Amino acid sequence: MLEELSLNVLDIAMNSLSAGARRVEVSVVESHRHDFLILRVRDNGRGMDAATLTRVLNQRTTGKQSRKKNIGLGLAMLRQTCEMCDGHFHVRSAPEQGTSVTASMRLSHIDRPPLGDLNSTILSLCAANDDVDVRLKYRTDQETFNFSSQEGKPHEPRRTQETERKSSTTSRAA
Amino acid sequence: MKFETNAKLTAVLLAIQATPLTSTSETNVQGCYISDLLSDVLAHAQPGMLWATVQIHRNVVSVAATKDIPAVLFTCGRKPDANVIAEAEEEGITLLVTPLTTYEAAGKLWQAGLHE
């Protein structure tokens, strides 16, 4: 249980970055009409195999050694929050297939933590890694907001550099 | 009471009418932290403290283990599931339950000298 749900989002998305994701997509659906809040963090990182996934989901620290390995309590705490707030919690992942964490809760549940400062969360993620495409999809009953950190950036600047380098080495070789 | 504690904790346990849920022995606590927000406990509790909470989720045991908290006191008579108790046994963490509210328990713990 964290004070704000945006901190949960930050926690999960930081894991996405550690998993080598090139794209992290945070989606938030806030529906007063249907009384639910859904948070989803989806990445194209290296993913987890079934055994790792089971271990992460049933995580409890067992002695000092595992604590040092720093397998966090993040997912376990978010799961607790979902269950406490009449929601569901789901993680889908496979090796090289990325990971998708979905958390839902009843929007009006009295124990539901506030969403908090989602802006700062997204900003921190963008600042943490300039190359990664951090996306936000925010949807309410009335409107949708979309953001991508790669918006307006020249397309695939890295490849351009590589191409330049390659062409220069080619010319040198020639 | 099954387990042997130092005199202070025994007195403390009597003062708050606490019942142990685990069979862990030789528990020593120094000071107490009270919070129901796990992240707050992760941030502010000190190793060796007693932790009083109304949360009975298994994550409580994980947090206690992470912070080297030797004993957790559940207030308002809230009892965790058997599997949570089993996990605490495994971790060597003492679980206690008291019918008192957190406020009442805190007052009595302070009176019994746990602040020293």
Side-chain angles (χ1 to χ4, degrees):
Chain A
M1 295 167 64
L2 300 178
E3 245 162 295
E4 296 179 345
L5 292 173
S6 57
L7 296 175
N8 285 111
V9 171
L10 182 63
D11 174 52
I12 296 165
M14 289 306 284
N15 293 343
S16 297
L17 294 182
S18 329
R22 306 302 304 161
R23 192 182 63 239
V24 180
E25 190 179 290
V26 176
S27 100
V28 180
V29 182
E30 193 178 330
S31 173
H32 287 269
R33 195 186 303 150
H34 302 289
D35 195 19
F36 62 61
L37 177 72
I38 300 175
L39 303 172
R40 176 177 294 148
V41 180
R42 204 161 49 173
D43 69 52
N44 62 353
R46 72 178 72 93
M48 291 175 276
D49 57 29
T52 314
L53 191 57
T54 315
R55 197 158 47 95
V56 169
L57 289 179
N58 298 308
Q59 184 55 38
R60 56 193 190 86
T61 47
T62 43
K64 288 209 164 143
Q65 272 198 325
S66 71
R67 255 178 273 166
K68 273 186 193 143
K69 273 188 233 151
N70 202 19
I71 300 170
L73 268 165
L75 290 177
M77 291 208 282
L78 182 57
R79 180 188 215 162
Q80 180 186 354
T81 305
C82 293
E83 284 165 1
M84 188 173 70
C85 301
D86 299 342
H88 299 277
F89 178 80
H90 185 69
V91 182
R92 210 178 51 200
S93 189
E96 307 310 321
Q97 303 285 305
T99 303
S100 168
V101 179
T102 310
S104 68
M105 47 210 92
R106 189 152 62 80
L107 191 62
S108 64
H109 196 288
I110 197 154
D111 286 324
R112 182 186 61 81
L115 190 54
D117 193 350
L118 195 62
N119 291 347
S120 297
T121 292
I122 298 298
L123 187 65
S124 307
L125 288 172
C126 294
N129 203 327
D130 196 30
D131 291 338
V132 175
D133 186 4
V134 179
R135 295 183 185 184
L136 172 69
K137 282 186 173 182
Y138 190 95
R139 220 167 79 202
T140 63
D141 292 326
Q142 288 81 31
E143 47 198 348
T144 305
F145 172 78
N146 284 316
F147 164 81
S148 161
S149 63
Q150 304 300 305
E151 264 171 41
K153 282 200 179 179
H155 286 300
E156 302 176 36
R158 301 185 104 215
R159 186 177 291 174
T160 323
Q161 277 173 359
E162 271 167 34
T163 326
E164 272 169 21
R165 209 177 303 138
K166 208 175 276 172
S167 63
S168 66
T169 44
T170 324
S171 59
R172 212 176 297 150
Chain B
M1 225 154 286
K2 254 191 192 168
F3 55 101
E4 293 164 21
T5 58
N6 62 352
K8 202 162 157 188
L9 187 61
T10 314
V12 159
L13 292 177
L14 283 174
I16 55 170
Q17 304 152 41
T19 326
L21 298 170
T22 52
S23 56
T24 323
S25 57
E26 290 167 11
T27 313
N28 273 291
V29 290
Q30 204 162 32
C32 178
Y33 195 74
I34 294 181
S35 180
D36 301 320
L37 194 60
L38 302 187
S39 56
D40 176 58
V41 176
L42 283 173
H44 299 118
Q46 296 301 315
M49 281 181 160
L50 173 72
W51 170 23
T53 178
V54 294
Q55 288 283 353
I56 49 170
H57 195 274
R58 61 200 288 258
N59 285 347
V60 167
V61 175
S62 301
V63 169
T66 307
K67 293 296 288 187
D68 286 318
I69 287 170
V72 180
L73 172 69
F74 300 111
T75 54
C76 301
R78 289 167 66 97
K79 274 187 197 163
D81 286 348
N83 58 329
V84 176
I85 297 173
E87 283 173 13
E89 291 272 10
E90 232 176 272
E91 294 285 350
I93 292 165
T94 304
L95 300 183
L96 309 158
V97 61
T98 174
L100 303 182
T101 66
T102 312
Y103 177 66
E104 288 165 340
K108 294 195 171 178
L109 288 171
W110 186 279
Q111 252 178 352
L114 197 61
H115 56 287
E116 281 154 19

